[in-house]
Amino acid sequence: MKHFFAPTSVAVVGASARAGKIGHDIIRNLQTSGFAGAIYPINPKSPEILGLKAYPSVLDADGEIDLAVIVVPAVAVLPVMEECAQKRIDSVIIITAGFKESGPEGIELEKELARIAKRGGIRVVGPNCLGIIATGSGLNASFAPVFPKAGSLALMSQSGALATAILDWSVQNGIGYSKFVSFGNGVDVGVVDLLRAWEDDPETRVIVAYMEGLPNGPEFMRVAKEVSQKKPVIVVKSGNTQAGARAVSSHTGSLAGSGEAYTAAFKQCGVIRAHSVEELFDLAVAFAYQEIPRSRRVAILTNAGGPGIMATDAVETAGLELAPIGADTVAKLRTKLPPASNFHNPVDCLGDAGADRYNFTAETVLADPNVDAALAVLTPQTSTQPYETAEGLAAAAAKYQKPMLACFMGGGAMTGAIDLLGGHRIPNYPYPERAVQALATMVRYREWREEPEDPIERFEADIEAVKAIFRSARAEGRVNLGEIEAREVVQAYGVHMPKSRVAQNAEEAARFADEIGYPVVMKIVSPDILHKSDLGGVRVGIRGRQEAMDAFELMMLRIRRYAPNADLRGVSVQEMVQTGREVILGSTRDPQFGPLVMFGLGGIYVEVLKDVSFRVAPFGRRHARMMIDEIRSAPLLRGARGERPCDLDAIVASLLTLSQLVTDFPEIVEMDVNPLKVGEPGQGAVAVDARITITEQSQ
Ligand code: COA
């Protein structure tokens, strides 16, 4: 990838002498951005472009070419690529649109483009992109109208248009970049290549990405996890499309759009997700400018009560802690601050504070060993001296080497001071909540990095038994497993199911019920009947022999009458699990990431409130535990309001088992274990019912 960011020579194929043409703008950008290497304009008609000698083809250029930027119409791109291959150019940017984004012909064209590139050993950025900027080598191989200053952010964007807007905004706000890549259709170079290219790039401190989709989810997760250990990766992902048009037959399937898969995947690989471009930059600037706080303990400095309280609320909501201000610090503050000040966090030096008082406060509080980060809130009042305050804050932050974020609230009165803060790499936010959010994200990132590995455990499982069940269902032309089969699959992986036998006559039903112990549940067994209760095919709470026999006869009668053609395989007599909290576990297959496992509380919690959490399988014990903690109703499982707590270890074990099952068997398209009844701590969990859909072909 070196030639994309530090080429010694660049050819622009489709360079034009005519102002207003993209091929003209790119030559001018290369000339004005400070690029010191050779520039070769390529144009069959013009001998000279913008004062540079032009060549009819790359093959005519006298020197070697490290990077070619192609900006000829789509029909001419493939022959140009062939010439690039002949010239042994290994890096090409294709600005031209009209490829896979434009319909079937474009799709074919792009496939052919990929073939030529592969054959010729050429790495390609684009097509349909804005180009590349690398400030370190003064390279503007794009048609972006602005060139940002050098800085430590590296930005990749799938959308060229959004990237132009971001660059424009960045120039106005003095945000600097190391590298910038608009990769458009991503025929070759994409998110994963750029993560790899920047993970050890000394110029890049923070990687920022705008993405709409990914060609290979698992590969992204693997690489992003490694890169995130080294530097923060912040992503805005747009376009939460549904998982596809196929019919969904499980709860899990209906609750899992691809948005859930991305959210889960990002959590699992430490990627920081921003939900808007605004948030992306709130976070990016904090990470780029400041060190990551050592702990959650933050001090709020303020000259105004209201904003101080807003900041305090935000700190609590975000899971940060108000640093306890030490007695020595309070004593020192008292020597200079009016008695009406608040000497504890949030430290309020009052509205009439000039720069002297505010900065004394900042200096004193930052010196406190209990304080690991500070948020300086300032509102413009008559005695306020924003500029001088900003200078003092910068000096204090530098002296104590502690992360500081600012919230200078207001308009014109604050502009100069905010610029000064920016010059000292102190990010400013218009409202306390946004500043606190940025700080909290930094702290969470540190905590993620410090977490030990979450190893994938393997449990004993009867893989052959599962294969046999799938084979026999397919042999009968079924992809929806019957309840008995689904139970056997889950059981083969060690999940406890209630005791159960299939009876062929009333006598047998009574005998099995006696053996299992009352009360029992009886259910009709037929692969043709999915909704058994609608046809009277389920009876719960059967308490004696006679009742079991009657239930058997009645079920048979009803099914023969209402579903005369159904393949009837008997009646299953099951132990009735009476106690325990109902939770649901499930899995669905995401087109990008593969098996996605879901957890939630049963009943209305999943059906109405959609209170569920997801992880991409396989995952380890910590993530299984996080899945439980993430649902809003988790306190109910932990034993809120006098309820007995549940056996959380049993839920974790069931989630890990499910994760292993769906990883071992990619042919499981969807499954629900619903309900899993969970007893009190130490009592375990029992899967009362399961449902599984597999692919038609084994995989
Ligand atoms: N080799 C070298 N130069 C060639 C050539 C070839 N094989 N074929 C054509 N050219 C020259 C043309 O003669 C012209 O130069 P001129 O101005 O001196 O005549 C120049 O290349 C451009 O060709 P032209 O036909 O004028 O095309 P254009 O500039 O109107 O459009 C694109 C070319 C690539 C800009 C256009 O096809 C396109 O894709 N636009 C969309 C770009 C976009 O939005 N990308 C995504 C951004 S996010």
Side-chain angles (χ1 to χ4, degrees), residues 459-474:
F459 305 91
E460 231 175 86
D462 189 348
I463 293 183
E464 291 309 317
V466 176
K467 281 186 186 162
I469 296 165
F470 290 172
R471 249 194 324 265
S472 80
R474 283 197 188 102

Side-chain angles (χ1 to χ4, degrees), residues 12-18 20-24 42-46 49 55-58 70-77 79-80 83 94-99 101 127-131 143 158-162 164 182 184:
V12 178
V13 188
S16 174
R18 288 186 281 160
K21 289 262 154 194
I22 296 186
H24 182 88
I42 309 294
N43 184 306
K45 290 180 289 188
S46 310
I49 291 172
Y55 303 82
S57 144
V58 286
I70 300 183
V71 64
V72 296
V75 287
V77 169
V80 169
E83 288 175 358
I94 304 177
I95 306 285
T96 311
F99 286 84
E101 80 287 0
N128 187 29
C129 74
L130 190 72
F143 64 98
Q158 211 166 336
S159 157
L162 183 75
T164 342
S182 147

Side-chain angles (χ1 to χ4, degrees), residues 300 302-312 342 346 348-351 377 379 381:
I300 297 167
T302 181
N303 71 338
I309 295 168
M310 285 162 72
T312 305
N342 189 15
D348 184 353
C349 58
L350 303 182
V377 180
T379 56
Q381 304 184 44

